[in-house]
């Protein structure tokens, strides 16, 4: 769950019921609170909805629990940011995770390559046998999250993960890397570009997981793969490479 959006929604609910007679409601507000069960007036509810529209630039669905609202806002915001033209790739600036990755992968002559969070699928014309998946961008071959991409284990000799498993909490990150390594063939390599925690200028509500060497090393240990290299890349990004045993 996007805890940045969760905190914002809970604060706004707290503000909406700030009168003393609503003290018990405010005290008990949490992610499981049923929003429609709150004692809204039409004006108060309209103000709450409009604030969400103004803040996230999406149309909120006010129903179910707070966590369901947060999930709805997170998906719509991410879709607008990643697939709606707000975010644009900067492939040219990177030393290790830019266009040079094409030759790096092609020289190993992989049978199949997976690009996780492929964005505009830039590498597809340059790397043979590449499949791009991206939940938010319709340039992908398949618009799915890695957790939803159910193909045969050990299908891919190389996997590209450039900035796409970089969101939420550690539990979100390792869950997705476990799936990546499941799909990676023995001896296969996983090439990663990671954000160490820098907020996107035009996407302040995207929750960035703060990657560092400790996190990369822990992923390798818990997933029983080798962390082959870890380096700083241009643009305040990190490059690291996993190899499946």
């Amino acid at each position: 769950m996007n805890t940045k959006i969760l905190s914002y929604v809970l604060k706004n609910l707290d503000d909406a019921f700030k009168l003393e007679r609503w003290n018990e409601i405010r005290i008990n507000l949490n992610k499981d609170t049923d929003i429609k069960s709150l004692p809204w007036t039409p004006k108060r509810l309209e103000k709450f909805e409009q604030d969400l529209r103004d803040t996230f630039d999406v149309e909120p669905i006010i129903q179910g629990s707070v966590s369901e609202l947060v999930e709805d806002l997170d998906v719509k915001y991410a879709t607008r940011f990643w697939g709606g033209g707000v975010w644009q790739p900067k492939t040219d600036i990177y030393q290790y995770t830019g266009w040079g990755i094409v030759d790096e992968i092609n020289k190993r002559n992989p049978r199949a390559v997976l690009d996780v969070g492929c964005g505009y699928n830039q590498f597809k014309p340059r790397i043979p046998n590449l499949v791009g998946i991206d939940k938010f961008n319709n340039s992908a071959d398949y618009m799915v999250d890695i957790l939803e991409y159910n193909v045969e284990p050990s299908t891919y000799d190389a996997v590209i993960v450039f900035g796409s498993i970089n969101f939420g909490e550690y539990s979100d990150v390792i869950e997705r890397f476990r799936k990546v390594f499941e799909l990676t063939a023995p001896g296969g390599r996983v090439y990663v570009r990671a954000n160490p925690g820098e907020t996107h200028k035009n996407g302040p509500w995207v929750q960035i997981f703060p990657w560092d060497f400790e996190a990369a090393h822990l992923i390798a240990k818990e997933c029983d793969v080798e962390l082959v290299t870890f380096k700083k890349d241009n643009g305040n990004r990190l490059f690291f490479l996993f190899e499946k045993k």
Side-chain angles (χ1 to χ4, degrees):
M1 180 184 298
N2 188 319
T3 56
K4 294 176 74 171
I5 296 179
L6 174 63
S7 296
Y8 185 85
V9 170
L10 289 174
K11 181 182 183 302
N12 273 29
L13 287 172
D14 186 88
D15 290 343
F17 297 97
K18 61 185 177 182
L19 295 180
E20 187 174 348
R21 67 174 180 269
W22 304 127
N23 281 349
E24 186 174 349
I25 287 175
R26 293 203 312 277
I27 290 171
N28 292 308
L29 285 172
N30 60 67
K31 65 182 180 64
D32 297 318
T33 298
D34 186 329
I35 296 177
K36 279 296 185 75
S37 71
L38 297 172
W40 296 102
T41 62
K43 185 175 181 180
R44 186 184 295 124
L45 180 57
E46 181 182 351
K47 183 178 183 300
F48 176 71
E49 291 178 329
Q50 189 59 50
D51 181 80
L52 295 179
R53 291 189 192 97
D54 293 343
T55 300
F56 300 105
D57 197 20
V58 300
E59 187 63 34
I61 297 178
I62 310 298
Q63 64 182 25
S65 66
V66 169
S67 62
E68 289 172 310
L69 172 60
V70 170
E71 177 65 16
D72 175 66
L73 292 170
D74 189 29
V75 169
K76 289 176 178 176
Y77 186 84
T79 300
R80 185 180 68 82
F81 182 75
W82 297 114
V86 179
W87 169 84
Q88 293 294 324
K90 299 178 180 178
T91 310
D92 293 342
I93 74 169
Y94 299 113
Q95 179 179 359
Y96 302 111
T97 59
W99 296 114
I101 202 67
V102 172
D103 290 338
E104 179 67 26
I105 290 177
N106 285 342
K107 72 182 182 182
R108 296 176 64 86
N109 196 28
R111 297 168 302 157
V113 179
L114 179 64
D115 190 348
V116 178
C118 64
Y120 296 101
N121 222 353
Q122 293 178 302
F123 294 120
K124 189 173 181 65
R126 301 168 184 247
I127 299 177
N129 307 314
L130 182 144
V131 172
I133 65 171
D134 195 306
K135 182 177 180 179
F136 303 112
N137 197 309
N138 62 13
S139 297
D141 296 301
Y142 303 108
M143 287 187 70
V144 294
D145 183 82
I146 182 63
L147 298 178
E148 303 164 336
Y149 187 58
N150 296 315
V151 299
E152 289 294 317
S154 303
T155 294
Y156 296 99
D157 296 316
V159 181
I160 299 169
V161 183
F162 284 177
S164 56
I165 304 183
N166 215 136
F167 312 105
E169 308 294 323
Y170 180 77
S171 58
D172 301 305
V173 168
I174 191 168
E175 182 181 20
R176 284 165 173 77
F177 266 106
R178 288 191 193 280
K179 184 61 179 284
V180 165
F181 295 130
E182 174 189 319
L183 301 182
T184 305
R189 291 189 162 189
V190 177
Y191 304 82
V192 183
R193 180 199 301 141
N195 182 339
E198 182 179 85
T199 299
H200 287 282
K201 180 180 178 181
N202 297 318
W205 297 103
V206 176
Q207 184 178 359
I208 305 297
F209 174 77
W211 278 103
D212 57 15
F213 176 78
E214 182 179 0
H217 183 267
L218 185 59
I219 290 286
K221 181 179 179 181
E222 294 195 16
C223 295
D224 194 27
V225 298
E226 182 181 357
L227 178 61
V228 177
T229 192
F230 183 96
K231 300 178 180 180
K232 290 184 178 180
D233 206 341
N234 298 337
N236 193 30
R237 293 299 183 262
L238 304 171
F239 164 63
F240 43 99
L241 171 64
F242 295 114
E243 185 167 289
K244 186 171 177 179
K245 299 176 182 178

